[in-house]
Amino acid sequence: DFNRPDGLGGTVDLAAEWQATDALHLVLELDDVWSQITWEDANRTVANIDTQTAVIDGDGLLQVRPTYVGQNSTLDYDQSFEPRSRLAATYQVNERLSIGQSTLNVDQAWLNESRVTLALADQLRAGGSVEWSSGALGVHVGWRGIQVELASDQLDWEDAKYLRAKLRARFAF
């Protein structure tokens, strides 16, 4: 019987955007430059497993029935995240169509994504993307400063190795 831990925390993300030309837009994002979640009463199990119970049965098959001795307890601890960086370029082909390429660095892995976006109406955009190393396909829809993105390498999200769900709000200062 486990309780649900309480956690409180936050992250600091930095971003810079530059409209290099009328058609070319560049973005640099640094996520989790600083991050910490302080967990209180997080569940944990401290256990020993003894595999010395292995025997060969009458059919010559190895049977292992390990014994498990452990204790459940709770723990307070701080969790932080590895920083991520993303560099993106978007080229406005014409009034309605833009194409983009981005690279995301996560824990020394580089994920490259290509995307296409179509302007459907005043301030309404929609499009698709592909992340090349996983083969994940994505869709994105944006209206004014609000954008929703979903991407996965599987139709069933529970089987996905690559899964992204993003809600973004941008405000101009």
Side-chain angles (χ1 to χ4, degrees):
D1 198 23
F2 289 104
N3 64 333
R4 296 182 76 168
D6 289 325
L8 180 64
T11 68
V12 173
D13 302 333
L14 303 173
E17 297 189 27
W18 180 40
Q19 191 71 41
T21 69
D22 286 343
L24 182 61
H25 184 239
L26 302 173
V27 174
L28 173 64
E29 296 174 339
L30 304 171
D31 292 333
D32 298 330
V33 173
W34 174 87
S35 64
Q36 182 172 326
I37 299 177
T38 300
W39 293 102
E40 295 179 3
D41 296 328
N43 299 305
R44 74 173 185 162
T45 301
V46 178
N48 291 318
I49 297 177
D50 183 2
T51 58
Q52 298 299 320
T53 58
V55 295
I56 297 180
D57 66 13
D59 295 327
L61 298 174
L62 178 64
Q63 297 260 337
V64 180
R65 292 192 177 110
T67 57
Y68 165 85
V69 178
Q71 178 179 355
N72 296 328
S73 63
T74 59
L75 175 71
D76 296 344
Y77 71 96
D78 293 330
Q79 177 183 10
S80 61
F81 302 105
E82 288 294 319
R84 300 179 315 273
S85 59
R86 178 177 170 267
L87 181 61
T90 303
Y91 184 75
Q92 191 73 40
V93 176
N94 58 39
E95 287 182 7
R96 297 190 63 205
L97 178 66
S98 66
I99 56 175
Q101 181 66 39
S102 67
T103 185
L104 172 69
N105 179 265
V106 180
D107 195 26
Q108 300 181 3
W110 294 92
L111 304 175
N112 297 300
E113 180 183 72
S114 299
R115 68 174 40 213
V116 61
T117 303
L118 188 63
L120 302 174
D122 184 38
Q123 306 245 0
L124 177 64
R125 300 164 313 284
S129 62
V130 60
E131 193 285 311
W132 294 103
S133 62
S134 69
L137 299 176
V139 295
H140 55 273
V141 177
W143 180 71
R144 299 188 183 230
I146 306 296
Q147 185 170 341
V148 176
E149 295 183 35
L150 299 171
S152 178
D153 62 345
Q154 299 289 325
L155 289 177
D156 184 350
W157 67 271
E158 291 179 330
D159 294 333
K161 293 181 180 143
Y162 181 100
L163 180 65
R164 180 179 68 223
K166 189 182 281 189
L167 174 63
R168 176 179 286 173
R170 290 185 175 177
F171 304 98
F173 293 101

